[in-house]
Amino acid sequence: AAAERKKKGQEESNAEAEEVSKIPPLHHENSMASTGPVDWKASANLDLCEALTRDDIRMDELSQVIDAARRANVEPMVLAKAEEKFVSQLRKERACLKLVKAMEARMIQPLRLALKDAEMQGIAPGDFKDDAGVGVVLKARAVLQEEEKNVASQLREAISKGGVLQLRRSLDQVGALNTKNRQDELVALIDEANAKLTNIGTKKQLVAL
């Protein structure tokens, strides 16, 4: 009788263990909380995989997901992909900031370099939209075209009423033009601007004496 009771108890214990094994891991959305190491790892892995599919994820959110995934010891390959995504997004944001600063300065050569960097980092024309829905690359291209178009008029204005800084800025803009023929058309203005710079320098020397 004792042996039979022992056998029956063992069968019941095995049945309970089998039922427990069928319970799926708990995953709480937007949370790394879990009931144990296995659940925590599964939850972190799910959050990481979801982050990889999102193009709109913020840097701070992605950073938190990656940090939780590291602590949960998730699959190394998945973690590596998420870290690559983070680095790629970080480079894009830096390139975007560089482009914004170049637009503010409105200098031709820095604008070209910033646009090239943005292209290398994979920033699409419609990425990083402003309030009007215009992507930062499209906006920068428009500023560049405007500055290239206005080179001659800006140089004339600098010669007419500008000081040393405005004259030098205008000459730098002329020098940044891609087409040599455009520079040749401005030879007379360039000579006049350089003559004015020399004249200003001479006057300053006389005043100093």
Side-chain angles (χ1 to χ4, degrees), residues 23-35 38-51 65:
I23 299 175
L26 297 177
H27 172 65
H28 301 283
E29 187 175 356
N30 298 325
S31 172
M32 288 298 171
S34 65
T35 57
V38 176
D39 290 344
W40 184 20
K41 183 175 181 178
S43 176
N45 194 67
L46 284 172
D47 286 338
L48 199 61
C49 290
E50 180 187 356
V65 172

Side-chain angles (χ1 to χ4, degrees), residues 80-99:
K81 287 181 180 179
E83 290 172 340
E84 287 175 8
K85 182 182 179 76
F86 181 86
V87 171
S88 175
Q89 187 63 23
L90 181 63
R91 288 174 177 169
K92 283 184 179 182
E93 292 197 0
R94 286 175 177 171
C96 176
L97 180 60
K98 183 178 177 181
L99 208 48

Side-chain angles (χ1 to χ4, degrees), residues 174-187:
V174 174
L177 291 176
N178 276 331
T179 308
K180 187 177 184 300
N181 291 336
R182 285 286 306 275
Q183 293 187 36
D184 291 343
E185 293 172 5
L186 299 170
V187 168

Side-chain angles (χ1 to χ4, degrees), residues 136-207:
V136 68
V137 169
L138 291 177
K139 194 171 182 179
R141 286 174 182 169
V143 172
L144 177 60
Q145 290 175 359
E146 184 179 352
E147 287 303 314
E148 289 176 336
K149 181 181 178 181
N150 294 334
V151 162
S153 61
Q154 289 176 357
L155 186 54
R156 291 190 190 96
E157 182 181 352
I159 293 169
S160 173
K161 55 185 179 181
V164 172
L165 292 179
Q166 188 175 351
L167 282 164
R168 287 178 176 168
R169 182 187 189 280
S170 297
L171 286 169
D172 286 342
Q173 294 288 73
V174 174
L177 291 176
N178 276 331
T179 308
K180 187 177 184 300
N181 291 336
R182 285 286 306 275
Q183 293 187 36
D184 291 343
E185 293 172 5
L186 299 170
V187 168
L189 288 173
I190 293 171
D191 290 342
E192 192 174 349
N194 284 324
K196 184 172 181 180
L197 280 172
T198 301
N199 187 39
I200 292 173
T202 302
K203 286 181 179 179
K204 286 184 176 180
Q205 288 178 354
L206 291 173
V207 170

Side-chain angles (χ1 to χ4, degrees), residues 91-92 94-99 111-125 127-128 136-137 140-141:
R91 288 174 177 169
K92 283 184 179 182
R94 286 175 177 171
C96 176
L97 180 60
K98 183 178 177 181
L99 208 48
L111 267 168
R112 283 210 197 98
L113 293 174
L115 278 166
K116 184 177 181 181
D117 186 36
E119 182 181 349
M120 289 177 61
Q121 300 306 330
I123 299 179
D127 290 346
F128 299 102
V136 68
V137 169
R141 286 174 182 169

